[in-house]
Amino acid sequence: MLQYLKRSAAYILSKRALFVLLTVMVVIPGVALLVTDGLHKKHVQEFLNYARFVLWWVSLGVASSIGLGSGLHTFVLYLGPHIALFTIKAVQCGRVDLKTAPYDTILLKQAPSWLDKKCSEFGSPMYPSSDHSVMIPVFDLLPQVQLEAVLWGIGTALGELPPYFISRAARLSGSELEAVKELDVAPSSEDGPIASTVNRTKRWLLSHSQHLNFFTILILASVPNPLFDLAGIMCGQFGIPFWEFFFATLIGKAIIKTHIQVYDLYILLKNPGVNLCFSWYHMFIFLS
């Protein structure tokens, strides 16, 4: 990282005149828009609201997947509860147009405006009720929570980049990561059944790393896979191009897997009496 920072600083210094020109053209008008009053004020505030909304959900996604499996599980802590609260509120009120704007979600130190409102404030129900419940199709509910879910998924894809870059840097320097060396160690009899299973899975992934390409990375990123950090390490170790790895991870995590998680949460909320085995299956999907 220090090398990248030095290169960036050297490039900026070599393009000093261009850097000053861009600063004058971008920073000064931006500051002027923020400090002056006028008709543009509401548009600037709207832009800041969207920027904070995007930064919040992308940051939560990064926090969820960064750190070689030691990240904070922000789906269970933030995104899942947000989707659940919106779904419950929509079912109670019989309508999905509860938000005042796309950024009207759970944010840092701020609750959404629709959370504490009474259903009468939104108007009469738009969906017919039966047996004292309202059935809202998932394709009507999904667009209301889709943007924050996709942003969170983009963050999880960005959080998978450090293992790839660390492994690629180790490969270029001619060394080998400790995570790769550990896979060559024979299993110990002291390992429990779970640890032994995880180690066997890691060794299988290592032995099949030569088959890693766009589609295999896409599959690994699209399904519940707590060992995806290892896939990133293998991609960096075996020289998979960055854009191939990143786009496959982005599509798998931000689009396919995120929508699977949202749909599974919708099914759980729609059918709270699902059997225990099915609940454990969904819990595995959420935690992966």
Side-chain angles (χ1 to χ4, degrees), residues 4-284:
Y4 280 121
L5 290 175
K6 288 179 180 178
R7 291 174 187 171
S8 300
Y11 178 80
I12 291 174
L13 290 175
S14 66
K15 306 289 184 180
R16 192 180 297 109
L18 180 62
F19 180 72
V20 172
L21 179 63
L22 289 176
T23 302
V24 171
M25 294 178 60
V26 176
V27 176
I28 294 180
V31 173
L33 288 174
L34 288 174
V35 300
T36 58
D37 294 326
L39 296 176
H40 65 277
K41 197 70 175 181
K42 62 179 182 180
H43 300 294
V44 172
Q45 186 60 45
E46 189 81 357
F47 173 79
L48 292 177
N49 289 336
Y50 274 105
R52 184 172 63 167
F53 164 76
V54 171
L55 181 63
W56 170 250
W57 287 110
V58 171
S59 299
L60 287 179
V62 172
S64 179
S65 61
I66 202 169
L68 290 173
S70 60
L72 183 70
H73 209 302
T74 53
F75 183 91
V76 174
L77 294 174
Y78 292 95
L79 182 59
H82 166 66
I83 296 172
L85 288 173
F86 186 87
T87 302
I88 293 171
K89 191 73 173 183
V91 170
Q92 288 175 348
C93 300
R95 39 191 317 140
V96 296
D97 54 343
L98 308 180
K99 293 182 178 181
T100 58
Y103 53 77
D104 188 11
T105 64
I106 296 175
L107 297 176
L108 181 63
K109 297 182 180 180
Q110 179 179 329
S113 64
W114 44 265
L115 188 58
D116 296 324
K117 284 185 178 180
K118 296 181 179 179
C119 290
S120 57
E121 299 182 44
F122 299 107
S124 57
M126 300 177 61
Y127 295 90
S129 59
S130 60
D131 298 329
H132 306 288
S133 65
V134 179
M135 301 300 295
I136 299 180
V138 65
F139 292 107
D140 291 347
L141 190 65
L142 180 61
Q144 306 301 320
V145 296
Q146 188 174 34
L147 182 56
E148 48 265 44
V150 170
L151 289 173
W152 180 86
I154 292 174
T156 62
L158 293 174
E160 300 291 355
L161 295 183
Y164 171 84
F165 281 121
I166 293 173
S167 179
R168 190 175 73 166
R171 171 179 172 270
L172 294 176
S173 65
S175 60
E176 190 177 20
L177 287 179
E178 290 295 329
V180 178
K181 294 178 181 178
E182 291 175 359
L183 298 180
D184 296 329
V185 179
S188 173
S189 58
E190 297 179 357
D191 294 338
I194 296 179
S196 299
T197 302
V198 172
N199 288 332
R200 283 197 299 269
T201 305
K202 288 181 177 180
R203 289 191 191 89
W204 181 90
L205 185 58
L206 176 63
S207 62
H208 291 75
S209 296
Q210 68 272 18
H211 302 299
L212 285 173
N213 53 36
F214 181 88
F215 294 104
T216 54
I217 299 169
L218 178 66
I219 293 172
L220 290 172
S222 302
V223 299
N225 182 11
L227 300 178
F228 189 79
D229 285 332
L230 184 61
I233 292 175
M234 294 299 101
C235 288
Q237 193 72 22
F238 292 99
I240 302 297
F242 167 73
W243 290 112
E244 182 177 348
F245 170 76
F246 178 66
F247 279 128
T249 304
L250 184 68
I251 295 171
K253 285 187 170 289
I255 298 178
I256 301 176
K257 183 184 173 185
T258 298
H259 284 81
I260 292 175
Q261 289 176 307
V262 172
Y263 179 74
D264 285 338
L265 183 56
Y266 170 82
I267 293 297
L268 277 179
L269 293 170
K270 183 180 177 182
N271 304 289
V274 291
N275 59 63
L276 183 61
C277 180
F278 196 56
S279 297
W280 278 111
Y281 161 74
H282 285 280
M283 187 59 65
F284 175 73

